[in-house]
Amino acid sequence: MPHDRIHAREPTHHVDRWTRGIIRTIEERDGHCVVAVEPENGGDRGVVELVVTLAVRDLFLGRLDVEDDESPIGETVWFREHGGT
């Protein structure tokens, strides 16, 4: 399965290929993590569902500037769509 890409920090490589967005929801579905992100530039896209592995979820959540007891909802991330479910 092709997975989407997500970063907690602004990428320094191929910056034109990444979209900046705001996390709206995070949930587990079928053994994967689904992160709903609203692109900052808006447009007709609306909220995008990104499908990543649980390991990638743990990695990007660990890099966000939030405390363990805080929610990542509303935080900024950078993403690329590649597939998903």
Side-chain angles (χ1 to χ4, degrees):
M1 166 192 295
H3 289 93
D4 299 310
R5 306 283 197 270
I6 190 165
H7 283 294
R9 298 184 184 128
E10 186 171 6
T12 58
H13 59 287
H14 305 294
V15 294
D16 57 319
R17 296 183 186 177
W18 295 89
T19 302
R20 184 179 171 134
I22 305 297
I23 297 173
R24 294 300 176 214
T25 63
I26 298 175
E27 63 183 52
E28 285 187 37
R29 190 183 308 156
D30 300 324
H32 291 84
C33 177
V34 179
V35 183
V37 178
E38 185 174 350
E40 279 193 344
N41 60 1
D44 297 335
R45 287 177 88 179
V47 174
V48 176
E49 285 193 341
L50 306 170
V51 179
V52 298
T53 65
L54 298 178
V56 168
R57 174 203 61 192
D58 294 344
L59 182 64
F60 92 83
L61 288 178
R63 291 183 175 172
L64 289 173
D65 191 22
V66 295
E67 298 298 323
D68 290 340
D69 61 340
E70 292 180 316
S71 170
I73 305 306
E75 291 295 312
T76 299
V77 292
W78 287 260
F79 67 94
R80 288 173 64 184
E81 293 176 87
H82 283 284
T85 56

